[in-house]
Amino acid sequence: MASASAFVTPSASSTRSTVAVQMSEEVPETAEPQASVSASLPAMSQSMPFMARPVALDGTLAGDVGFDPLGFAKNSDDLLKYREAEVKHARLAMLAAAGWPISELFDSKIASILGLAPLLQSDDRAPSILNGGLGKVSPIYWIACVAGAAAIDLYGITQASKKAGYTPGDLGFDPLGVFPKDKDGQEWFKLAEIKNGRLAMIAITAFAVQELVSQTGVINETPLFFKPIGETLHEYANSGYIQ
């Protein structure tokens, strides 16, 4: 009887336990890709190699080079909130960086055509908090700006951000259809936008400080960037830069 028991067919319960043991042994293998991704992240910040990489900055967002020296983003939720704010400020700065010199170039001409008083000061400086002159701007303009900004923000909070796969700043606004359909092209566009936006935030701050210090409009301070080359050379010749 003892020898015959060796040939007894395994019971269903023993079979299930064997399968369960085999499946439990295979589970750790599925966690390996995640572990390898974490291991591939650099320990030090790409932008500041002498500092440790902030934990929340894992490189998933475009333009993420590990720059958060003050440690604002404690986790992924904080990071997304700060990126949302960064994208908004970046887009506004790009508009301002273009609008500032354009206003100094054409404000007087447009005002003359419309029979209005120009907003520029006598030294061709645009109205700003540091330059003054904001009192000349119609209250209707400020109301329209606030209302427009509030409407866009409200849409982003109540509608766009609720969509599946939402990324910070994605309001679905692409009337010309320039945003690529492929993932690589989309990542390139996102990176280009955030880089240009960061540069614009620096530029618009520099415009304001430069005009405060020099008391001269940026188009006159650096005409080479904003005026035709012939007109610029003529101004340089008359001012003594070119002998």
Side-chain angles (χ1 to χ4, degrees), residues 107-108 110-112 114-120 136:
D107 175 76
S108 298
I110 296 175
S112 176
L114 299 178
L116 302 173
L119 295 179
L120 294 183
K136 298 179 182 179

Side-chain angles (χ1 to χ4, degrees), residues 70-88:
L70 300 181
F72 287 123
K74 305 296 183 184
N75 49 55
S76 59
D77 290 338
D78 287 345
L79 180 62
L80 293 178
K81 291 177 182 177
Y82 281 113
R83 172 48 64 94
E84 186 83 35
E86 182 183 30
V87 170
K88 289 179 181 179

Side-chain angles (χ1 to χ4, degrees), residues 14-233:
S14 63
T15 302
R16 286 195 297 269
S17 63
T18 303
V19 173
V21 170
Q22 292 176 347
M23 292 180 64
S24 64
E25 291 176 351
E26 295 176 357
V27 169
E29 296 181 2
T30 61
E32 288 182 1
Q34 181 65 29
S36 62
V37 171
S38 300
S40 65
L41 293 174
M44 307 303 288
S45 168
Q46 181 181 348
S47 59
M48 307 180 74
F50 54 87
M51 295 184 64
R53 176 185 60 82
V55 177
L57 276 65
D58 56 4
T60 56
L61 295 178
D64 179 3
V65 290
F67 184 81
D68 186 16
L70 300 181
F72 287 123
K74 305 296 183 184
N75 49 55
S76 59
D77 290 338
D78 287 345
L79 180 62
L80 293 178
K81 291 177 182 177
Y82 281 113
R83 172 48 64 94
E84 186 83 35
E86 182 183 30
V87 170
K88 289 179 181 179
H89 284 81
R91 290 169 177 171
L92 183 61
M94 285 188 281
L95 291 174
W100 188 299
I102 289 176
S103 70
E104 293 185 345
L105 286 170
F106 299 108
D107 175 76
S108 298
K109 298 175 182 178
I110 296 175
S112 176
I113 294 174
L114 299 178
L116 302 173
L119 295 179
L120 294 183
Q121 302 187 37
S122 58
D123 47 12
D124 290 339
R125 291 187 300 157
S128 70
I129 294 177
L130 298 180
N131 289 342
L134 293 177
K136 298 179 182 179
V137 182
S138 171
I140 298 177
Y141 171 81
W142 296 120
I143 294 173
C145 286
V146 172
I152 294 172
D153 224 22
L154 183 62
Y155 172 77
I157 295 172
T158 61
Q159 300 293 327
S161 61
K162 306 298 182 183
K163 297 179 180 178
Y166 173 77
T167 56
D170 183 8
L171 301 179
F173 182 78
D174 185 22
L176 300 181
V178 297
F179 194 60
K181 304 300 181 183
D182 62 290
K183 186 171 180 58
D184 290 340
Q186 292 177 356
E187 292 301 319
W188 185 90
F189 259 72
K190 291 177 183 178
L191 181 60
E193 180 185 38
I194 200 65
K195 282 187 173 182
N196 283 279
R198 289 168 177 171
L199 181 61
M201 287 188 278
I202 296 173
I204 196 62
T205 303
F207 285 174
V209 174
Q210 177 181 330
E211 293 197 355
L212 174 67
V213 174
S214 67
Q215 297 293 302
T216 305
V218 292
I219 62 169
N220 297 325
E221 184 82 13
T222 52
L224 187 62
F225 296 119
F226 306 109
K227 298 181 180 180
I229 185 64
E231 182 179 343
T232 301
L233 293 176

